[in-house]
Amino acid sequence: MKQFQLEPMFGSSGWEIAGINIAFTNSAFWMAITTVLIWAFVFGGMKRQLVPGRWQMAVESFTGFIDDMLEANIGKAGRKYVPYVFSLFMFILFANLLGLLPIGLLGLHPFTFTSHFTVTGVLAIISFSIVLVVGFWKHGIKFFTLFVPHGTPAPMILPIALIEFFSFLIRPFSLALRLFVAMMAGHVLLKVLSSFVIDGVNAGVGIGLMVSVPSFALMVAISALEILVAGIQAYVFALLTSLYINDAEHLH
């Protein structure tokens, strides 16, 4: 499980503030790389040419995709959330794809920080916090009517409200857990198959090839599937975030 292990970098293992270790880890390092790459990607597509180049078209395609998704789920009011949801989508997408790179950087193997629940949990809490702020800002105390569906019979109001309330509280947990499990499971599977390949090669000709060749072929197929999963998980996270914001905007 070394591929999921947090390790201090640049001699930062002894950094502490008020007794709390603040070491700059490999996870933080790849978060910084992801942020820089997103900034470079967006900056390169901000030329606003009348006839857009490929780079500008790529950036506009992503922003248009997020804008269309928010408009479909929230309506015209969703446009003001485009910067946040776009940043969230691109951050998760780039993080997932960078973790699949077969090469290292500065001697450090790519680290998929979205395979850590602490990271996906923080992203989910940020989205959940936006939902709460929007809900109470727009509706005040009426935001609590979100937990009582319209037309609920009077005797069922209390049990339904409790069920809806706990369901609402579970949202950030399920949002974070989905991304964390998907990324961690894929990398664990690739690690297991790679061990089959190595053990098969070390076993020599014969039964070794019977193990290593199919395992390697399966690794290639699963790596391709992981690329697809990386995009799907980024989309699902952004989509569910937009749906939760829609609940706060319109109190469905």
Side-chain angles (χ1 to χ4, degrees):
M1 301 297 285
K2 182 175 174 56
Q3 61 177 322
F4 303 112
Q5 184 176 342
L6 293 174
E7 298 176 350
M9 295 184 61
F10 312 124
S12 62
S13 57
W15 294 1
E16 289 188 0
I17 293 181
I20 300 176
N21 188 281
I22 57 167
F24 187 81
T25 64
N26 50 349
S27 178
F29 177 71
W30 284 97
M31 286 186 202
I33 292 176
T34 301
T35 303
V36 170
L37 288 178
I38 293 173
W39 181 88
F41 173 72
V42 175
F43 182 79
M46 292 178 64
K47 296 180 180 179
R48 298 184 180 181
Q49 297 175 341
L50 184 61
V51 180
R54 294 180 180 178
W55 200 320
Q56 180 181 342
M57 189 176 298
V59 174
E60 290 180 355
S61 296
F62 277 111
T63 54
F65 170 72
I66 297 299
D67 183 51
D68 291 342
M69 181 183 70
L70 289 172
E71 184 173 353
N73 293 325
I74 304 176
K76 294 297 182 182
R79 179 154 295 181
K80 59 178 174 285
Y81 302 106
V82 169
Y84 170 70
V85 178
F86 173 79
S87 300
L88 182 67
F89 172 78
M90 297 302 294
F91 186 73
I92 296 174
L93 178 63
F94 273 51
N96 293 347
L97 293 177
L98 285 173
L100 294 173
L101 289 176
I103 58 175
L105 185 64
L106 299 178
L108 186 67
H109 190 275
F111 185 86
T112 310
F113 54 83
T114 47
S115 64
H116 279 242
F117 187 71
T118 50
V119 175
T120 61
V122 169
L123 294 177
I125 289 173
I126 293 173
S127 296
F128 190 66
S129 299
I130 291 175
V131 171
L132 292 177
V133 170
V134 171
F136 284 110
W137 180 269
K138 290 198 65 175
H139 308 286
I141 197 69
K142 290 184 178 179
F143 181 65
F144 288 107
T145 60
L146 177 67
F147 308 128
V148 183
H150 181 70
T152 302
M156 297 297 295
I157 288 180
L158 181 59
I160 292 295
L162 289 175
I163 292 173
E164 290 290 332
F165 178 70
F166 286 113
S167 175
F168 183 78
L169 293 181
I170 291 172
R171 284 180 176 182
F173 178 79
S174 62
L175 190 63
L177 187 66
R178 184 181 292 103
L179 175 59
F180 152 70
V181 169
M183 300 315 300
M184 185 175 186
H187 284 271
V188 168
L189 182 56
L190 287 174
K191 185 70 173 182
V192 171
L193 290 173
S194 67
S195 67
F196 288 166
V197 174
I198 294 172
D199 291 342
V201 171
N202 292 335
V205 183
I207 191 170
L209 290 177
M210 293 175 61
V211 173
S212 60
V213 172
S215 297
F216 181 76
L218 190 56
M219 276 187 66
V220 174
I222 292 178
S223 295
L225 179 62
E226 278 290 283
I227 295 175
L228 179 63
V229 170
I232 291 176
Q233 288 302 318
Y235 168 71
V236 169
F237 204 103
L239 175 64
L240 291 177
T241 297
S242 68
L243 292 175
Y244 296 157
I245 293 175
N246 177 57
D247 288 342
E249 279 279 348
H250 304 294
L251 289 184
H252 288 321

